Amino acid sequence: ALKVFDPIVSAAARSALLSEFGALTGVRHPHLLAGIDAFDLTEPPFAGCVVFVLELAEEDLSHRVARAGALPPAEVAAIGAQVADGLSALHAEGRIHGDVKPENILRAGNRWALGDFGVSGLLEGSYAVTAGATIDYRPPELARAEEGTRLHRSADIWALGVTLHVAATARHPFPGPDPIMRFAAAVRDDRQAAPGLDPVLARIVDEGCLAAEPRDRLDAPTLADWLRAWPTPPPPVQREES
């Protein structure tokens, strides 16, 4: 697959592209979309455009849900475990994804992989400076922070929890007619009732992902283990110490 960017006119924009391609090529994992090559186009009409050559994917999770509606809990748990495995590898290599959402979870053959590292940031300890995440997948602590602030890596876990809820119910967990209103509902902790959500999956999402305090969310390896163990109920949450 080819990802073509508009002509790059600033050093900052080119630096952001180099960072994105570094994430695509520097962290190899079956559940992270692979980057193969990158080059500049020099001939009209695309002169100045940058092209990424990426592993080919057949569909993304948003299209799967739009086509099929709410997915069975076993499928949601399997997809979530794979994405959490990808996040484990990414976090272990010192990066935060920063924009986990259904559109960025892609099926390549019989596996699901996390793609689009355009706002990925480098971690210093548990935090990274990143910006630009899709607003209704942002964790509530960002309402108290300026854009470009340091973000705890568990923001990726929050976004994956929202994504799992969307996949399992075909509805966002926080009510609102647009992304800004949904983010405002998340900040208020105003959840929509989801009576059809599998109770074990609901516990994983609620207790493991959507905790208001960043350090109370699971780390990615533990979340992957919980999802792989579905339908076994998860154990009590072990809170992160740092």
Side-chain angles (χ1 to χ4, degrees):
L2 301 180
K3 184 176 182 179
V4 182
F5 297 88
D6 289 336
I8 303 303
V9 295
S10 73
R14 182 167 289 277
S15 176
L17 282 185
L18 290 173
S19 177
E20 178 177 359
F21 195 70
L24 284 163
T25 57
V27 187
R28 293 292 186 180
H29 190 274
H31 301 300
L32 298 174
L33 198 70
I36 299 168
D37 196 7
F39 55 88
D40 295 289
L41 295 174
T42 58
E43 299 295 328
F46 300 108
C49 293
V50 173
V51 179
F52 287 177
V53 182
L54 307 173
E55 177 184 11
L56 182 64
E58 285 104 73
E59 65 176 339
D60 66 49
L61 185 57
S62 69
H63 285 96
R64 168 68 70 89
V65 173
R67 177 168 51 82
L71 303 182
E75 184 177 0
V76 175
I79 293 170
Q82 292 177 57
V83 175
D85 280 338
L87 284 176
S88 297
L90 196 65
H91 292 174
E93 290 295 323
R95 282 190 173 271
I96 188 173
H97 184 275
D99 198 20
V100 177
K101 59 181 179 180
E103 290 84 353
N104 289 340
I105 296 171
L106 305 144
R107 183 175 63 82
N110 61 357
R111 61 189 169 83
W112 290 85
L114 187 59
D116 196 341
F117 296 87
V119 298
S120 175
L122 294 173
L123 288 164
E124 295 182 3
S126 296
Y127 290 85
V129 175
T130 185
T134 301
I135 191 166
D136 52 346
Y137 288 81
R138 293 181 183 183
E141 61 267 21
L142 279 188
R144 306 186 297 270
E146 296 179 0
E147 189 75 14
T149 192
R150 296 173 75 241
L151 189 65
H152 194 270
R153 68 174 182 268
S154 68
D156 283 342
I157 303 302
W158 171 279
L160 181 52
V162 174
T163 296
L164 295 176
H165 188 284
V166 169
T169 66
R171 295 172 58 194
H172 198 280
F174 299 98
D178 57 52
I180 292 174
M181 295 299 291
R182 289 191 286 273
F183 179 58
V187 173
R188 297 192 308 269
D189 194 24
D190 177 17
R191 290 280 298 277
Q192 294 196 88
L197 183 58
D198 171 78
V200 173
L201 197 57
R203 273 195 61 196
I204 294 171
V205 170
D206 293 346
E207 298 177 16
C209 302
L210 299 187
E213 170 57 46
R215 290 183 180 84
D216 287 346
R217 299 167 198 151
L218 296 180
D219 61 20
T222 305
L223 178 58
D225 289 343
W226 280 24
L227 288 163
R228 270 192 294 269
W230 183 92
T232 301
V237 175
Q238 298 296 314
R239 302 303 186 190
E240 186 182 353
E241 295 297 330
S242 61

PDB file of all heavy atoms in Angstrom, residues 3-31:
ATOM      1  N   LYS A   3       1.110   5.390   0.899  1.00  0.00           N
ATOM      2  CA  LYS A   3       0.556   6.532   1.616  1.00  0.00           C
ATOM      3  C   LYS A   3       1.291   7.762   1.102  1.00  0.00           C
ATOM      4  O   LYS A   3       2.495   7.901   1.300  1.00  0.00           O
ATOM      5  CB  LYS A   3       0.754   6.360   3.126  1.00  0.00           C
ATOM      6  CG  LYS A   3       0.129   7.460   3.969  1.00  0.00           C
ATOM      7  CD  LYS A   3       0.291   7.136   5.457  1.00  0.00           C
ATOM      8  CE  LYS A   3      -0.355   8.192   6.335  1.00  0.00           C
ATOM      9  NZ  LYS A   3      -0.216   7.860   7.790  1.00  0.00           N
ATOM     10  N   VAL A   4       0.566   8.640   0.412  1.00  0.00           N
ATOM     11  CA  VAL A   4       1.175   9.785  -0.251  1.00  0.00           C
ATOM     12  C   VAL A   4       0.830  11.051   0.522  1.00  0.00           C
ATOM     13  O   VAL A   4      -0.338  11.331   0.801  1.00  0.00           O
ATOM     14  CB  VAL A   4       0.686   9.910  -1.707  1.00  0.00           C
ATOM     15  CG1 VAL A   4       1.365  11.083  -2.394  1.00  0.00           C
ATOM     16  CG2 VAL A   4       0.952   8.612  -2.467  1.00  0.00           C
ATOM     17  N   PHE A   5       1.850  11.826   0.873  1.00  0.00           N
ATOM     18  CA  PHE A   5       1.683  13.068   1.618  1.00  0.00           C
ATOM     19  C   PHE A   5       1.798  14.258   0.663  1.00  0.00           C
ATOM     20  O   PHE A   5       2.540  14.227  -0.313  1.00  0.00           O
ATOM     21  CB  PHE A   5       2.756  13.190   2.704  1.00  0.00           C
ATOM     22  CG  PHE A   5       2.682  12.113   3.746  1.00  0.00           C
ATOM     23  CD1 PHE A   5       3.345  10.906   3.565  1.00  0.00           C
ATOM     24  CD2 PHE A   5       1.950  12.292   4.907  1.00  0.00           C
ATOM     25  CE1 PHE A   5       3.292   9.905   4.529  1.00  0.00           C
ATOM     26  CE2 PHE A   5       1.889  11.305   5.875  1.00  0.00           C
ATOM     27  CZ  PHE A   5       2.555  10.107   5.688  1.00  0.00           C
ATOM     28  N   ASP A   6       1.079  15.321   1.002  1.00  0.00           N
ATOM     29  CA  ASP A   6       1.212  16.562   0.241  1.00  0.00           C
ATOM     30  C   ASP A   6       2.655  17.049   0.273  1.00  0.00           C
ATOM     31  O   ASP A   6       3.422  16.677   1.181  1.00  0.00           O
ATOM     32  CB  ASP A   6       0.299  17.641   0.828  1.00  0.00           C
ATOM     33  CG  ASP A   6      -1.169  17.358   0.564  1.00  0.00           C
ATOM     34  OD1 ASP A   6      -1.451  16.641  -0.401  1.00  0.00           O
ATOM     35  OD2 ASP A   6      -2.009  17.839   1.345  1.00  0.00           O
ATOM     36  N   PRO A   7       3.066  17.867  -0.676  1.00  0.00           N
ATOM     37  CA  PRO A   7       4.446  18.367  -0.685  1.00  0.00           C
ATOM     38  C   PRO A   7       4.841  18.978   0.663  1.00  0.00           C
ATOM     39  O   PRO A   7       4.083  19.747   1.252  1.00  0.00           O
ATOM     40  CB  PRO A   7       4.431  19.427  -1.791  1.00  0.00           C
ATOM     41  CG  PRO A   7       3.351  18.980  -2.706  1.00  0.00           C
ATOM     42  CD  PRO A   7       2.297  18.365  -1.827  1.00  0.00           C
ATOM     43  N   ILE A   8       6.005  18.604   1.121  1.00  0.00           N
ATOM     44  CA  ILE A   8       6.495  19.051   2.419  1.00  0.00           C
ATOM     45  C   ILE A   8       7.190  20.394   2.243  1.00  0.00           C
ATOM     46  O   ILE A   8       8.109  20.539   1.437  1.00  0.00           O
ATOM     47  CB  ILE A   8       7.474  18.016   3.017  1.00  0.00           C
ATOM     48  CG1 ILE A   8       6.783  16.651   3.138  1.00  0.00           C
ATOM     49  CG2 ILE A   8       7.984  18.484   4.360  1.00  0.00           C
ATOM     50  CD1 ILE A   8       5.516  16.673   3.962  1.00  0.00           C
ATOM     51  N   VAL A   9       6.761  21.384   3.012  1.00  0.00           N
ATOM     52  CA  VAL A   9       7.299  22.737   2.827  1.00  0.00           C
ATOM     53  C   VAL A   9       8.057  23.244   4.052  1.00  0.00           C
ATOM     54  O   VAL A   9       8.601  24.342   4.016  1.00  0.00           O
ATOM     55  CB  VAL A   9       6.166  23.732   2.497  1.00  0.00           C
ATOM     56  CG1 VAL A   9       5.538  23.399   1.162  1.00  0.00           C
ATOM     57  CG2 VAL A   9       5.106  23.741   3.598  1.00  0.00           C
ATOM     58  N   SER A  10       8.109  22.452   5.124  1.00  0.00           N
ATOM     59  CA  SER A  10       8.807  22.922   6.323  1.00  0.00           C
ATOM     60  C   SER A  10       9.657  21.813   6.900  1.00  0.00           C
ATOM     61  O   SER A  10       9.365  20.620   6.748  1.00  0.00           O
ATOM     62  CB  SER A  10       7.807  23.410   7.376  1.00  0.00           C
ATOM     63  OG  SER A  10       7.143  22.321   7.973  1.00  0.00           O
ATOM     64  N   ALA A  11      10.711  22.239   7.594  1.00  0.00           N
ATOM     65  CA  ALA A  11      11.591  21.272   8.252  1.00  0.00           C
ATOM     66  C   ALA A  11      10.849  20.524   9.346  1.00  0.00           C
ATOM     67  O   ALA A  11      11.074  19.323   9.567  1.00  0.00           O
ATOM     68  CB  ALA A  11      12.813  21.990   8.825  1.00  0.00           C
ATOM     69  N   ALA A  12       9.934  21.200  10.050  1.00  0.00           N
ATOM     70  CA  ALA A  12       9.183  20.558  11.133  1.00  0.00           C
ATOM     71  C   ALA A  12       8.281  19.452  10.591  1.00  0.00           C
ATOM     72  O   ALA A  12       8.186  18.369  11.181  1.00  0.00           O
ATOM     73  CB  ALA A  12       8.350  21.599  11.875  1.00  0.00           C
ATOM     74  N   ALA A  13       7.629  19.714   9.450  1.00  0.00           N
ATOM     75  CA  ALA A  13       6.763  18.706   8.854  1.00  0.00           C
ATOM     76  C   ALA A  13       7.568  17.504   8.391  1.00  0.00           C
ATOM     77  O   ALA A  13       7.160  16.354   8.572  1.00  0.00           O
ATOM     78  CB  ALA A  13       5.989  19.310   7.690  1.00  0.00           C
ATOM     79  N   ARG A  14       8.723  17.757   7.800  1.00  0.00           N
ATOM     80  CA  ARG A  14       9.568  16.636   7.368  1.00  0.00           C
ATOM     81  C   ARG A  14      10.078  15.844   8.564  1.00  0.00           C
ATOM     82  O   ARG A  14      10.137  14.610   8.528  1.00  0.00           O
ATOM     83  CB  ARG A  14      10.742  17.147   6.526  1.00  0.00           C
ATOM     84  CG  ARG A  14      11.639  16.036   5.996  1.00  0.00           C
ATOM     85  CD  ARG A  14      12.576  16.545   4.931  1.00  0.00           C
ATOM     86  NE  ARG A  14      11.854  16.847   3.697  1.00  0.00           N
ATOM     87  CZ  ARG A  14      11.548  15.920   2.801  1.00  0.00           C
ATOM     88  NH1 ARG A  14      11.903  14.664   2.977  1.00  0.00           N
ATOM     89  NH2 ARG A  14      10.904  16.257   1.709  1.00  0.00           N
ATOM     90  N   SER A  15      10.409  16.537   9.647  1.00  0.00           N
ATOM     91  CA  SER A  15      10.856  15.850  10.857  1.00  0.00           C
ATOM     92  C   SER A  15       9.759  14.946  11.405  1.00  0.00           C
ATOM     93  O   SER A  15      10.020  13.822  11.848  1.00  0.00           O
ATOM     94  CB  SER A  15      11.273  16.880  11.903  1.00  0.00           C
ATOM     95  OG  SER A  15      11.631  16.242  13.109  1.00  0.00           O
ATOM     96  N   ALA A  16       8.495  15.421  11.363  1.00  0.00           N
ATOM     97  CA  ALA A  16       7.370  14.611  11.838  1.00  0.00           C
ATOM     98  C   ALA A  16       7.210  13.361  10.975  1.00  0.00           C
ATOM     99  O   ALA A  16       6.941  12.263  11.484  1.00  0.00           O
ATOM    100  CB  ALA A  16       6.087  15.435  11.824  1.00  0.00           C
ATOM    101  N   LEU A  17       7.400  13.494   9.661  1.00  0.00           N
ATOM    102  CA  LEU A  17       7.310  12.337   8.781  1.00  0.00           C
ATOM    103  C   LEU A  17       8.421  11.334   9.063  1.00  0.00           C
ATOM    104  O   LEU A  17       8.201  10.124   9.078  1.00  0.00           O
ATOM    105  CB  LEU A  17       7.376  12.775   7.323  1.00  0.00           C
ATOM    106  CG  LEU A  17       6.105  13.359   6.709  1.00  0.00           C
ATOM    107  CD1 LEU A  17       6.322  13.608   5.233  1.00  0.00           C
ATOM    108  CD2 LEU A  17       4.926  12.445   6.918  1.00  0.00           C
ATOM    109  N   LEU A  18       9.625  11.845   9.285  1.00  0.00           N
ATOM    110  CA  LEU A  18      10.741  10.950   9.602  1.00  0.00           C
ATOM    111  C   LEU A  18      10.474  10.193  10.895  1.00  0.00           C
ATOM    112  O   LEU A  18      10.791   9.010  11.024  1.00  0.00           O
ATOM    113  CB  LEU A  18      12.040  11.751   9.705  1.00  0.00           C
ATOM    114  CG  LEU A  18      12.587  12.304   8.385  1.00  0.00           C
ATOM    115  CD1 LEU A  18      13.780  13.222   8.651  1.00  0.00           C
ATOM    116  CD2 LEU A  18      12.985  11.167   7.446  1.00  0.00           C
ATOM    117  N   SER A  19       9.862  10.886  11.877  1.00  0.00           N
ATOM    118  CA  SER A  19       9.529  10.230  13.133  1.00  0.00           C
ATOM    119  C   SER A  19       8.497   9.136  12.910  1.00  0.00           C
ATOM    120  O   SER A  19       8.603   8.032  13.469  1.00  0.00           O
ATOM    121  CB  SER A  19       9.004  11.262  14.137  1.00  0.00           C
ATOM    122  OG  SER A  19       8.612  10.632  15.333  1.00  0.00           O
ATOM    123  N   GLU A  20       7.482   9.446  12.092  1.00  0.00           N
ATOM    124  CA  GLU A  20       6.460   8.438  11.811  1.00  0.00           C
ATOM    125  C   GLU A  20       7.070   7.230  11.113  1.00  0.00           C
ATOM    126  O   GLU A  20       6.783   6.079  11.470  1.00  0.00           O
ATOM    127  CB  GLU A  20       5.344   9.026  10.944  1.00  0.00           C
ATOM    128  CG  GLU A  20       4.281   8.005  10.579  1.00  0.00           C
ATOM    129  CD  GLU A  20       3.125   8.566   9.770  1.00  0.00           C
ATOM    130  OE1 GLU A  20       3.121   9.786   9.493  1.00  0.00           O
ATOM    131  OE2 GLU A  20       2.221   7.785   9.417  1.00  0.00           O
ATOM    132  N   PHE A  21       7.915   7.469  10.119  1.00  0.00           N
ATOM    133  CA  PHE A  21       8.499   6.331   9.414  1.00  0.00           C
ATOM    134  C   PHE A  21       9.453   5.565  10.316  1.00  0.00           C
ATOM    135  O   PHE A  21       9.566   4.342  10.218  1.00  0.00           O
ATOM    136  CB  PHE A  21       9.224   6.797   8.146  1.00  0.00           C
ATOM    137  CG  PHE A  21       9.528   5.650   7.216  1.00  0.00           C
ATOM    138  CD1 PHE A  21       8.507   5.012   6.548  1.00  0.00           C
ATOM    139  CD2 PHE A  21      10.831   5.211   7.033  1.00  0.00           C
ATOM    140  CE1 PHE A  21       8.776   3.939   5.701  1.00  0.00           C
ATOM    141  CE2 PHE A  21      11.107   4.149   6.187  1.00  0.00           C
ATOM    142  CZ  PHE A  21      10.080   3.513   5.518  1.00  0.00           C
ATOM    143  N   GLY A  22      10.110   6.284  11.243  1.00  0.00           N
ATOM    144  CA  GLY A  22      10.957   5.588  12.210  1.00  0.00           C
ATOM    145  C   GLY A  22      10.165   4.622  13.063  1.00  0.00           C
ATOM    146  O   GLY A  22      10.633   3.513  13.378  1.00  0.00           O
ATOM    147  N   ALA A  23       8.937   5.008  13.454  1.00  0.00           N
ATOM    148  CA  ALA A  23       8.091   4.104  14.230  1.00  0.00           C
ATOM    149  C   ALA A  23       7.645   2.917  13.388  1.00  0.00           C
ATOM    150  O   ALA A  23       7.575   1.784  13.873  1.00  0.00           O
ATOM    151  CB  ALA A  23       6.870   4.866  14.759  1.00  0.00           C
ATOM    152  N   LEU A  24       7.346   3.158  12.109  1.00  0.00           N
ATOM    153  CA  LEU A  24       6.893   2.083  11.233  1.00  0.00           C
ATOM    154  C   LEU A  24       7.984   1.048  10.971  1.00  0.00           C
ATOM    155  O   LEU A  24       7.699  -0.134  10.785  1.00  0.00           O
ATOM    156  CB  LEU A  24       6.429   2.666   9.893  1.00  0.00           C
ATOM    157  CG  LEU A  24       5.065   3.353   9.875  1.00  0.00           C
ATOM    158  CD1 LEU A  24       4.924   4.221   8.640  1.00  0.00           C
ATOM    159  CD2 LEU A  24       3.947   2.322   9.927  1.00  0.00           C
ATOM    160  N   THR A  25       9.229   1.496  10.917  1.00  0.00           N
ATOM    161  CA  THR A  25      10.325   0.592  10.557  1.00  0.00           C
ATOM    162  C   THR A  25      11.156   0.146  11.756  1.00  0.00           C
ATOM    163  O   THR A  25      11.812  -0.882  11.707  1.00  0.00           O
ATOM    164  CB  THR A  25      11.263   1.262   9.537  1.00  0.00           C
ATOM    165  OG1 THR A  25      11.750   2.495  10.082  1.00  0.00           O
ATOM    166  CG2 THR A  25      10.529   1.543   8.238  1.00  0.00           C
ATOM    167  N   GLY A  26      11.123   0.940  12.841  1.00  0.00           N
ATOM    168  CA  GLY A  26      12.017   0.660  13.960  1.00  0.00           C
ATOM    169  C   GLY A  26      11.479  -0.330  14.965  1.00  0.00           C
ATOM    170  O   GLY A  26      12.238  -0.904  15.746  1.00  0.00           O
ATOM    171  N   VAL A  27      10.162  -0.529  14.993  1.00  0.00           N
ATOM    172  CA  VAL A  27       9.548  -1.471  15.937  1.00  0.00           C
ATOM    173  C   VAL A  27       8.805  -2.515  15.123  1.00  0.00           C
ATOM    174  O   VAL A  27       7.699  -2.277  14.637  1.00  0.00           O
ATOM    175  CB  VAL A  27       8.576  -0.750  16.905  1.00  0.00           C
ATOM    176  CG1 VAL A  27       8.085  -1.729  17.966  1.00  0.00           C
ATOM    177  CG2 VAL A  27       9.236   0.457  17.540  1.00  0.00           C
ATOM    178  N   ARG A  28       9.428  -3.659  14.934  1.00  0.00           N
ATOM    179  CA  ARG A  28       8.822  -4.719  14.138  1.00  0.00           C
ATOM    180  C   ARG A  28       8.023  -5.652  15.041  1.00  0.00           C
ATOM    181  O   ARG A  28       8.541  -6.173  16.027  1.00  0.00           O
ATOM    182  CB  ARG A  28       9.902  -5.512  13.410  1.00  0.00           C
ATOM    183  CG  ARG A  28      10.635  -4.712  12.349  1.00  0.00           C
ATOM    184  CD  ARG A  28       9.742  -4.375  11.181  1.00  0.00           C
ATOM    185  NE  ARG A  28      10.466  -3.737  10.088  1.00  0.00           N
ATOM    186  CZ  ARG A  28       9.912  -3.346   8.953  1.00  0.00           C
ATOM    187  NH1 ARG A  28       8.618  -3.548   8.750  1.00  0.00           N
ATOM    188  NH2 ARG A  28      10.634  -2.765   8.020  1.00  0.00           N
ATOM    189  N   HIS A  29       6.757  -5.844  14.696  1.00  0.00           N
ATOM    190  CA  HIS A  29       5.895  -6.731  15.483  1.00  0.00           C
ATOM    191  C   HIS A  29       4.731  -7.136  14.596  1.00  0.00           C
ATOM    192  O   HIS A  29       4.256  -6.320  13.785  1.00  0.00           O
ATOM    193  CB  HIS A  29       5.393  -6.010  16.738  1.00  0.00           C
ATOM    194  CG  HIS A  29       4.694  -6.910  17.706  1.00  0.00           C
ATOM    195  ND1 HIS A  29       3.346  -7.201  17.614  1.00  0.00           N
ATOM    196  CD2 HIS A  29       5.155  -7.585  18.790  1.00  0.00           C
ATOM    197  CE1 HIS A  29       3.013  -8.016  18.591  1.00  0.00           C
ATOM    198  NE2 HIS A  29       4.082  -8.270  19.314  1.00  0.00           N
ATOM    199  N   PRO A  30       4.231  -8.373  14.721  1.00  0.00           N
ATOM    200  CA  PRO A  30       3.126  -8.801  13.866  1.00  0.00           C
ATOM    201  C   PRO A  30       1.876  -7.938  13.981  1.00  0.00           C
ATOM    202  O   PRO A  30       1.069  -7.879  13.042  1.00  0.00           O
ATOM    203  CB  PRO A  30       2.841 -10.233  14.338  1.00  0.00           C
ATOM    204  CG  PRO A  30       4.115 -10.689  14.967  1.00  0.00           C
ATOM    205  CD  PRO A  30       4.737  -9.469  15.566  1.00  0.00           C
ATOM    206  N   HIS A  31       1.711  -7.245  15.117  1.00  0.00           N
ATOM    207  CA  HIS A  31       0.497  -6.463  15.316  1.00  0.00           C
ATOM    208  C   HIS A  31       0.756  -4.960  15.280  1.00  0.00           C
ATOM    209  O   HIS A  31      -0.022  -4.166  15.808  1.00  0.00           O
ATOM    210  CB  HIS A  31      -0.191  -6.896  16.603  1.00  0.00           C
ATOM    211  CG  HIS A  31      -0.557  -8.348  16.582  1.00  0.00           C
ATOM    212  ND1 HIS A  31      -1.418  -8.874  15.635  1.00  0.00           N
ATOM    213  CD2 HIS A  31      -0.138  -9.396  17.338  1.00  0.00           C
ATOM    214  CE1 HIS A  31      -1.528 -10.180  15.833  1.00  0.00           C
ATOM    215  NE2 HIS A  31      -0.766 -10.523  16.851  1.00  0.00           N
TER     216      HIS A  31
END
